[in-house]
Amino acid sequence: MSGLGDRDIGHRVVVRHRIPDGLTDVIGVLQSWTPEGLVVRHADSSLHEIRADQVTAAKTIPEMPLRPVDVEQLFLTTALGRPAVETAYVGEWLLRASAGWTGRANSLLPAGNPGMPVPEALKHAEAFYDERGLPPLALVRLGSPEEAELRACGWIDARPGQSDVLVMHATLDHVNGSPAYDVLVAERPDRAWYAAAFDGPVPEPAPTVLEGAPKAVFASITLDGKAVAVGRGSMTGHWLGVDAVRVDPSYRRRGLGTALLQALARWSGPLGGRRTYLEVLEENTPAVTTYRNLGYAPAYRYRYLTRRRP
């Protein structure tokens, strides 16, 4: 098959091939390739299986321009990609608790209709966290009506010294390069993965949070006999969420983080993945630069709010 190989899996391609009535072209993402044939996934998610002897020409084509993102949908998608240990609802507002490990897993997600006046809904949220001995936190999208409503009720920045969290997005076409390292993608993390992901003991809630998504995998790169870079991928609809990316300080600036993202993108493609997101502190300039170079663009920013103490 002229012009294509397994290195092109995950990239947009055009394939001209024979059909009973003549020739036709199919444009989409190359989902699989073997010497015997290939599979192209069209934008409508339909799969086109083409035998090698039917192909007359094939090549990669530029990725699609990055389309505007549905911010409200993505805001909810990020929560589904990394579920908390315990959840409850106030109307459509999501309450999350995980024994205090990570802000995302221990905060209110005010999205949708709480089913009651906002001050009353916030009292329910405060009671939920008070009962668990946790500080009341709310993860709010900056510039959203929910941020304005919570601030009007007296909620204030919970982490005033910390920069905003930047949620970035891209299409898989932008990320689907061939990794420069061998990346192991496993359905369950092993001890080596956790050892690379954390300094010291693993927080008790961490395995439940990290392994709790319906579709999640754990990527790692081993060099010099040890895991030196790890990351996690989760699928929610057509979205690939990437988090828990950590590279051993002694092995940074070698492209290991990029290789992890590329391997996770390749994993998600055959599962229907089309877009990807990740979260990063805006003050983490090296990471933000890496993600921008891979084609990620800002979708929105968020901060944590907490109730004002009397």
Side-chain angles (χ1 to χ4, degrees):
M1 285 176 283
S2 175
L4 294 182
D6 59 1
R7 67 187 181 282
D8 300 310
I9 293 173
H11 290 278
R12 291 185 75 230
V13 298
V14 56
V15 179
R16 176 161 293 183
H17 60 286
R18 298 184 185 89
I19 57 175
D21 296 333
L23 294 174
T24 189
D25 293 336
V26 60
I27 296 176
V29 175
L30 184 63
Q31 180 157 314
S32 66
W33 180 95
T34 69
E36 290 73 38
L38 52 80
V39 178
V40 176
R41 187 178 77 248
H42 193 263
D44 63 6
S45 295
S46 61
L47 299 179
H48 297 259
E49 300 182 10
I50 306 169
R51 298 197 317 268
D53 60 8
Q54 295 174 324
V55 176
T56 62
K59 65 178 182 179
T60 59
I61 56 177
E63 63 267 9
M64 290 283 288
L66 192 56
R67 302 189 308 275
V69 65
D70 184 333
V71 171
E72 293 185 2
Q73 179 202 56
L74 181 55
F75 189 60
L76 294 172
T77 297
T78 61
L80 296 173
R82 190 169 175 173
V85 173
E86 183 182 2
T87 58
Y89 285 90
V90 176
E92 294 177 343
W93 284 12
L94 176 63
L95 296 162
R96 302 172 291 183
S98 302
W101 183 69
T102 79
R104 278 180 286 177
N106 292 274
S107 57
L108 163 69
L109 195 77
N113 186 351
M116 61 186 73
V118 169
E120 185 178 346
L122 290 175
K123 289 181 179 179
H124 282 277
E126 292 172 15
F128 175 86
Y129 291 108
D130 287 344
E131 289 169 2
R132 289 155 181 80
L134 297 171
L137 289 178
L139 189 163
V140 297
R141 182 166 51 86
L142 295 182
S144 67
E146 290 78 14
E147 181 199 8
E149 289 172 331
L150 266 67
R151 290 190 183 276
C153 290
W155 283 53
I156 59 175
D157 284 353
R159 302 171 180 177
Q162 187 181 85
S163 70
D164 300 335
V165 179
L166 184 60
V167 179
M168 307 183 76
H169 72 110
T171 63
L172 287 190
D173 305 50
H174 288 76
V175 189
N176 259 327
S178 179
Y181 297 88
D182 290 331
V183 182
L184 173 65
V185 178
E187 293 185 356
R188 288 286 180 267
D190 57 15
R191 290 183 179 179
W193 192 95
Y194 277 116
F198 294 93
D199 288 325
V202 177
E204 184 177 347
T208 302
V209 173
L210 294 172
E211 300 177 40
K215 292 182 182 179
V217 291
F218 300 82
S220 61
I221 298 173
T222 298
L223 297 176
D224 303 324
K226 65 176 182 178
V228 297
V230 295
R232 173 182 177 273
S234 62
M235 284 292 296
T236 304
H238 66 267
W239 281 99
L240 164 68
V242 177
D243 65 358
V245 175
R246 189 168 187 270
V247 178
D248 185 305
S250 301
Y251 291 82
R252 289 176 182 167
R253 300 188 182 277
R254 300 189 189 183
L256 298 177
T258 294
L260 290 172
L261 266 66
Q262 291 169 333
L264 290 170
R266 288 185 167 228
W267 163 75
S268 70
L271 299 177
R274 292 164 55 193
R275 308 189 80 171
T276 171
Y277 70 86
L278 50 78
E279 303 181 13
V280 60
L281 283 172
E282 195 165 17
E283 64 191 12
N284 188 349
T285 302
V288 172
T289 300
T290 295
Y291 300 145
R292 285 185 180 275
N293 289 340
L294 281 168
Y296 282 89
Y300 62 88
R301 292 166 172 77
Y302 72 76
R303 294 191 69 84
Y304 292 101
L305 302 184
T306 189
R307 67 183 172 193
R308 189 191 306 274
R309 294 189 178 276

